[in-house]
Amino acid sequence: MQRFEVGKLYSCSEYFLLLFPDKDTAEAADRAAEAAADAAVAAAYWTRELARKLGKPVSYCNPLTPLLVLSVNEKYVEVLAGDKKGWIINQGWLEIKEISCT
């Protein structure tokens, strides 16, 4: 599992990341489905399906969207992704990398 530091920037170059409105919703979605979205169609489908099942809005961000880490709680990471704020599920296979600003 990727280690994140609060205040650092990261990006995921290969996958659309689902953004959950809170950590509890991310945990519920993590248990409900393995949402490995590697295309916009799959991400759009899962945002609708999980929002319907969980009763809360779920969105996603595009690959290479900078992710500013706001907080870390075990495998759930609160991020600011462009103009969206939400929680991602930290899956090791996502290959999220730190952005170097030097």
Side-chain angles (χ1 to χ4, degrees), residues 1-2 9-11 16 27 34 43 50 53-55 69 72 85 94 100-101:
M1 188 167 20
Q2 169 78 30
L9 288 172
Y10 298 84
S11 74
F16 286 77
E27 287 176 338
E34 288 288 320
L50 289 170
K53 287 182 179 179
L54 302 171
V69 174
V72 179
K85 180 179 163 188
L94 288 173
S100 176
C101 296

Side-chain angles (χ1 to χ4, degrees), residues 30-83:
D30 195 19
R31 289 187 303 270
E34 288 288 320
D38 62 358
V41 172
Y45 167 79
W46 280 108
T47 59
R48 284 190 312 271
E49 193 63 21
L50 289 170
R52 184 182 64 76
K53 287 182 179 179
L54 302 171
K56 292 187 179 181
V58 176
S59 61
Y60 66 92
C61 64
N62 296 318
L64 297 177
T65 299
L67 307 171
L68 175 63
V69 174
L70 303 175
S71 67
V72 179
N73 189 318
E74 299 172 11
K75 72 182 218 175
Y76 306 99
V77 182
E78 185 179 24
V79 298
L80 181 62
D83 63 346

